[in-house]
Amino acid sequence: MSPKFKSTWKVVIALSPFLSSALLFQNCSSQTQWDADLSSEIEVIEQEHVNQDHGTEEKAKRITSYRPLLSDRRSTDLILNDIFNDGAVKDLSLVATYVATKNDTFGTPCSFYSDYKTSGSARYETLSFCSFTENMLNAPVNPDTLVSREAYLAYVCEGLVNTTATLDTAMKKISSKAPSPLPAASDANLLKMFQLFYRAKPNPQAGLIQALKILFANPSAPTRDEWKAAFYTTCISGYWQVQ
Amino acid sequence: MKSRRQFLADSLRTLTLLGLPIQTATTIVETIVNKAYAGILDSPENKNSYKLVQILLESAPPRWLFDLPLTPNGNDKFDVGSTNSFGNKLKITGSQVDVIHSSWKSANGLYVPPVWSLNVPGQASFQSLLNHTLFVRGIDAEIDNHGLNRMRVDQPIIGGTSLTGAVSDTANHPIPGVHVASSATTFRSDKNKNAIRTNAAVSSSDNPVKRVLSPFLIGGTTFYRKDPGWDSAVGQVLDQFDAYAASIQIPKSSLRENHDKADALVREGVSSLVSQWAGVYQKYTSLVTTALSPAKGTLPGFFDKAIPVNNTNQRYRLETGILPAASMTDFRDVTRAGLTMNGLAASFAAAEILLTSGVTSTFTLGFDAVRNIDFGLSAKQAMTNDQHRVGNIATTVITTLQYRSLLACLTEFMETSKSAGTWDTTIVQIGSEFNRAPRADGTGSDHGVRGSNMTLISGMFQKAQAIGNILVEPPSTSANYRGTWGVATNYKVGSETRRIRYNDIARTISAMTGCADIVANGSSLVKPSGSQWVAINPEAKNVA
């Protein structure tokens, strides 16, 4: 064991009582609105009605369940292509393979009309997107968040930022001169990157932009790896999938 | 509950405040992060959730050979018809082979089809499985249609929420459901989850577990995971995205939680499961092979004596009408080439790995035909489960071995689930489209819609039970048919007296698992009693 690791483990052992206690009590920490509940639903009391006709106070509550809509396979595919595809190919194969054709995970079943031949052998939606297997046809219309969905998304995000052409395409949308030079990690440029994913959504608070800046050692002279991390983090943040 | 990542990010900041170098603090926190994430699959949420295994006896093989006790109390009246009709055991007198009805008295006094006594050497007895079994006889399947009724095992209201979907909705497993069967996927979730459908194909480089876990087997090589400093920073930025989402009123969402789970599974959670495959698959393959190939002289009533062959008698034929070769003198030689059942071992191996590890909470598997049957002909034959023209001698021998292999797999699955601590929260539901109506001359059988049955096996049952009333003499629709064996008649279900329906089975599973009620009517057939579930109405009568 290297001296460096030896010293690390001494620290681990020394701090283990503190850390063990902290882990034990992590679930006792304050509950936020956010990470408390695995449920994707909220219940909204729409109306509280007091019925006095029968001489008794009878309250009737109408409860509506609301679940956020997530982008489906096609809209997720389109957004990612819009960010990372320079138009050289119709669809980025990585996105097609792990998003557009994953009906069972990203939702929206195939339609028989998807196989409609518009002219000659061209199809409205290629068979690579709709093979009419049972999973394709039975896919949910409004899919819930799934662990497998986030795994595929992370893999796709990872592949897109690790590929020179796709990352360059995305960076050009921040600065037309990119990748040479790389855009500065300024507030304005980080906001542009944010907006590539978060469409028709309010701008973030300053804290988020500042948090993105911690990925850059020197925001005015960023490295390629630092922009990779920024795009990757925004891509996997996931909330941009909420419609 | 604060998210683990948030908590650990806070810890990292605390450690740096204590004056530790960032790299040291990161290393410490990463060690803990990895240990915390490794527990995702066996988290209490997943570990304690209910699990449903559906075994679809696709194409409706005859149930009196397996899980339809026609005389459960031993002294019940039952009109078995002539010895040329159907039964569940052979009686050999000289060159005469009769198929007769027989019951095996189990250790707890319940009389069940004799296959339950045909244990596989080296394995726990089938009695140990029987101790957790509830046989529900006398079900009216209502619809005479293979495809629709098979769906109704899972989805009593066709197109509605399924049992697998409802059970899956009670937890948040990485994969909501797994379907390994040739029939249609019926998984329907109120939360719009979806099951992964795959098949039971196995090669040296591929298997069902690998396919199901494929989302978590890709990736994992990205730069940020290799560098704890990056990893920690990415985590802190993601926390700010959480705050942003909250600020714009995106309601509670499991997006982030699912991302963290996926991330953990990609890092380290699933490769160990894939590596289990070879050993577990081999275990089930060995059991199936042994169960399908008994030694001559064993299995009383089936393989203990030579079975004379009459190669013109239709009671020996297969669905295709093919009869044994004239050279075949002992019907036990059908196993000479080694009978096979495609996918059974692979399905159970996948079910064991994926359910006991907490990857999924529902698993549907199909029950394939027996293949590689040696009739002394140049080509090997197959025994379909839809046995319209299968002779009663052929089905009694071959289908019994088929059920024996299923029992061997079930017993092994139970033992492993017990070891994993999941048996008390697992329900195995065995169902099919309907039972069968045997031909009077023993040359085949047709659909027996009103004589259906369903079997539930679970750690929540602590004794063998059979319920449901059937008719002593099945109504015959024509001189050619004996009528369905085990045809349903009135039974007290909840506040009603009527035939049991698939809806009642659904309500039973909903009651036991606490999952959403998916049917508009029906009643649970069981109730809790201490630490176990027992029949509300223990009646199992044969009614004249």
Side-chain angles (χ1 to χ4, degrees):
Chain A
M1 187 181 285
S2 72
K4 182 183 173 186
F5 276 108
K6 273 186 185 169
S7 61
T8 302
W9 280 108
K10 279 180 188 169
V11 175
V12 171
I13 292 163
L15 289 171
S16 58
F18 157 73
L19 292 166
S20 306
S21 307
L23 272 178
L24 277 174
F25 289 100
Q26 63 170 307
N27 291 349
C28 303
S29 57
S30 63
Q31 181 167 324
T32 64
Q33 176 196 355
W34 234 192
D35 38 28
D37 196 345
L38 285 175
S39 164
S40 300
E41 289 187 6
I42 56 169
E43 288 184 339
V44 180
I45 300 173
E46 273 194 342
Q47 182 183 352
E48 190 169 290
H49 169 66
V50 179
N51 184 347
Q52 295 176 325
D53 294 345
H54 297 89
T56 59
E57 193 175 278
E58 179 190 327
K59 288 186 177 179
K61 293 178 180 177
R62 202 162 69 197
I63 309 260
T64 303
S65 287
Y66 168 65
R67 181 189 301 123
L69 279 173
L70 293 181
S71 56
D72 71 349
R73 63 190 177 93
R74 292 297 282 140
S75 50
T76 308
D77 172 68
L78 288 170
I79 290 170
L80 290 173
N81 268 285
D82 197 48
I83 299 169
F84 292 101
N85 191 349
D86 62 2
V89 292
K90 186 183 173 192
D91 285 284
L92 294 167
S93 62
L94 188 67
V95 187
T97 304
Y98 293 103
V99 176
T101 57
K102 295 292 180 192
N103 302 42
D104 49 355
T105 307
F106 282 84
T108 299
C110 285
S111 155
F112 286 104
Y113 298 104
S114 301
D115 200 24
Y116 175 70
K117 291 182 181 179
T118 50
S119 64
S121 61
R123 294 171 191 276
Y124 177 73
E125 189 173 28
T126 64
L127 279 179
S128 65
F129 283 11
C130 264
S131 61
F132 297 113
T133 60
E134 195 185 324
N135 269 15
M136 291 281 197
L137 294 168
N138 282 339
V141 173
N142 174 18
D144 199 6
T145 66
L146 294 173
V147 181
S148 55
R149 175 183 176 125
E150 298 313 302
Y152 283 131
L153 182 67
Y155 180 64
V156 169
C157 294
E158 179 184 320
L160 292 171
V161 303
N162 271 332
T163 304
T164 303
T166 47
L167 182 62
D168 285 354
T169 300
M171 284 197 292
K172 279 186 198 302
K173 289 170 181 163
I174 294 171
S175 165
S176 57
K177 292 180 179 172
S180 186
L182 291 168
S186 62
D187 287 6
N189 284 343
L190 290 170
L191 180 61
K192 280 184 187 174
M193 181 196 68
F194 174 90
Q195 288 170 335
L196 287 175
F197 291 89
Y198 286 79
R199 301 179 181 206
K201 288 190 172 58
N203 284 342
Q205 69 279 29
L208 175 53
I209 298 297
Q210 294 312 308
L212 283 166
K213 278 192 174 174
I214 69 170
L215 300 170
F216 297 86
N218 180 359
S220 55
T223 67
R224 192 174 180 84
D225 272 357
E226 289 167 346
W227 270 113
K228 267 190 198 177
F231 269 97
Y232 176 78
T233 309
T234 309
C235 187
I236 64 168
S237 65
Y239 297 109
W240 58 269
Q241 300 172 93
V242 178
Q243 300 290 287
Chain B
M1 185 178 75
K2 208 167 185 179
S3 78
R4 286 169 187 262
R5 183 181 284 280
Q6 176 69 59
F7 171 80
L8 293 166
D10 291 347
S11 301
L12 177 62
R13 284 188 274 276
T14 308
L15 290 174
T16 53
L17 287 175
L18 289 174
L20 290 173
I22 182 72
Q23 284 298 334
T24 307
T26 303
T27 304
I28 294 168
V29 171
E30 279 307 308
T31 305
I32 301 163
V33 167
N34 289 340
K35 288 209 176 299
Y37 282 5
I40 282 174
L41 289 175
D42 58 359
S43 67
E45 178 207 12
N46 283 344
K47 200 84 175 174
N48 299 330
S49 71
Y50 288 99
K51 294 145 197 83
L52 179 61
V53 183
Q54 279 181 337
I55 299 175
L56 300 176
L57 303 178
E58 293 171 300
S59 302
R63 304 289 286 274
W64 53 80
L65 292 163
F66 173 47
D67 63 342
L68 175 55
L70 291 165
T71 53
N73 306 302
N75 56 357
D76 315 80
K77 287 185 180 175
F78 189 73
D79 178 8
V80 297
S82 74
T83 52
N84 282 335
S85 187
F86 266 49
N88 53 25
K89 195 172 182 177
L90 300 183
K91 181 183 174 189
I92 300 166
T93 313
S95 61
Q96 176 67 30
V97 182
D98 292 324
V99 176
I100 61 169
H101 173 258
S102 167
S103 288
W104 173 66
K105 185 182 180 184
S106 62
N108 36 36
L110 190 70
Y111 288 79
V112 295
V115 68
W116 289 84
S117 70
L118 307 180
N119 299 318
V120 170
Q123 189 191 29
S125 73
F126 296 159
Q127 174 74 57
S128 63
L129 185 73
L130 185 62
N131 293 339
H132 298 284
T133 300
L134 171 72
F135 298 105
V136 183
R137 319 184 309 161
I139 297 178
D140 185 350
E142 302 172 291
I143 298 174
D144 185 6
N145 181 290
H146 278 286
L148 293 177
N149 258 4
R150 191 183 302 134
M151 290 174 75
R152 292 177 66 233
V153 172
D154 188 30
Q155 207 179 63
I157 297 175
I158 295 165
T161 306
S162 68
L163 279 168
T164 47
V167 170
S168 173
D169 281 347
T170 63
N172 187 29
H173 294 266
I175 302 289
V178 177
H179 185 100
V180 185
S182 60
S183 56
T185 307
T186 46
F187 187 100
R188 291 284 185 281
S189 149
D190 284 340
K191 292 186 177 176
N192 271 327
K193 296 176 180 176
N194 206 10
I196 300 294
R197 185 186 184 198
T198 185
N199 55 49
V202 176
S203 70
S204 57
S205 61
D206 195 23
N207 59 65
V209 167
K210 198 171 177 183
R211 289 193 292 276
V212 168
L213 293 175
S214 61
F216 313 110
L217 292 170
I218 56 176
T221 57
T222 190
F223 61 97
Y224 87 98
R225 288 197 180 101
K226 293 177 183 169
D227 185 331
W230 275 123
D231 202 9
S232 172
V234 167
Q236 289 181 53
V237 179
L238 288 177
D239 293 340
Q240 287 299 317
F241 275 101
D242 288 348
Y244 167 74
S247 73
I248 60 168
Q249 307 300 312
I250 293 177
K252 286 179 187 173
S253 168
S254 51
L255 268 169
R256 175 64 186 278
E257 196 79 37
N258 284 343
H259 167 77
D260 283 353
K261 285 183 179 181
D263 193 44
L265 292 172
V266 169
R267 284 168 197 252
E268 58 185 306
V270 299
S271 55
S272 63
L273 297 180
V274 176
S275 67
Q276 290 175 23
W277 171 261
V280 177
Y281 178 53
Q282 175 56 38
K283 176 179 71 172
Y284 282 104
T285 300
S286 173
L287 281 171
V288 171
T289 303
T290 306
L292 286 174
S293 305
K296 288 179 178 175
T298 63
L299 309 188
F302 295 93
F303 259 63
D304 54 340
K305 294 181 187 173
I307 306 170
V309 179
N310 178 343
N311 76 324
T312 60
N313 188 325
Q314 301 300 306
R315 291 166 60 226
Y316 290 86
R317 73 180 178 184
L318 297 175
E319 181 66 12
T320 49
I322 287 176
L323 285 157
S327 58
M328 194 173 184
T329 56
D330 184 350
F331 197 73
R332 294 179 297 179
D333 287 339
V334 292
T335 65
R336 270 183 308 205
L339 301 181
T340 59
M341 277 185 72
N342 287 347
L344 189 66
S347 298
F348 267 95
E352 178 182 313
I353 292 170
L354 297 173
L355 286 162
T356 58
S357 64
V359 168
T360 189
S361 57
T362 69
F363 196 101
T364 304
L365 64 96
F367 185 66
D368 193 47
V370 176
R371 299 173 197 278
N372 213 34
I373 297 168
D374 190 341
F375 260 30
L377 305 166
S378 56
K380 299 297 179 283
Q381 308 297 316
M383 165 80 90
T384 176
N385 288 338
D386 195 7
Q387 302 181 355
H388 287 272
R389 294 189 296 171
V390 179
N392 64 357
I393 294 171
T395 196
T396 302
V397 172
I398 298 169
T399 307
T400 296
L401 294 178
Q402 187 183 18
Y403 283 133
R404 185 185 187 224
S405 64
L406 176 59
L407 283 173
C409 291
L410 279 167
T411 303
E412 179 58 30
F413 177 78
M414 174 190 71
E415 292 292 325
T416 310
S417 299
K418 282 181 177 176
S419 301
T422 55
W423 182 239
D424 290 344
T425 51
T426 298
I427 298 176
V428 179
Q429 177 192 10
I430 304 172
S432 64
E433 298 91 293
F434 28 68
N435 190 15
R436 303 198 76 82
R439 292 183 185 180
D441 62 0
T443 60
S445 59
D446 211 333
H447 301 175
V449 178
R450 277 185 56 197
S452 194
N453 63 298
M454 200 90 82
T455 296
L456 302 179
I457 307 176
S458 171
M460 288 181 268
F461 299 128
Q462 290 169 22
K463 61 179 180 181
Q465 302 171 79
I467 60 172
N469 297 336
I470 61 172
L471 294 177
V472 170
E473 185 174 6
S476 178
T477 52
S478 78
N480 290 333
Y481 284 91
R482 287 294 310 152
T484 301
W485 278 28
V487 74
T489 189
N490 285 344
Y491 172 83
K492 193 165 189 318
V493 186
S495 59
E496 303 172 278
T497 300
R498 57 168 171 76
R499 295 190 287 269
I500 299 170
R501 304 184 192 119
Y502 283 12
N503 283 13
D504 302 313
I505 302 295
R507 278 254 159 99
T508 301
I509 291 172
S510 294
M512 293 175 71
T513 62
C515 74
D517 189 8
I518 62 167
V519 291
N521 53 44
S523 295
S524 174
L525 302 171
V526 299
K527 63 181 179 183
S529 173
S531 61
Q532 61 175 316
W533 287 74
V534 298
I536 293 171
N537 173 11
E539 195 172 77
K541 286 183 182 171
N542 292 359
V543 179

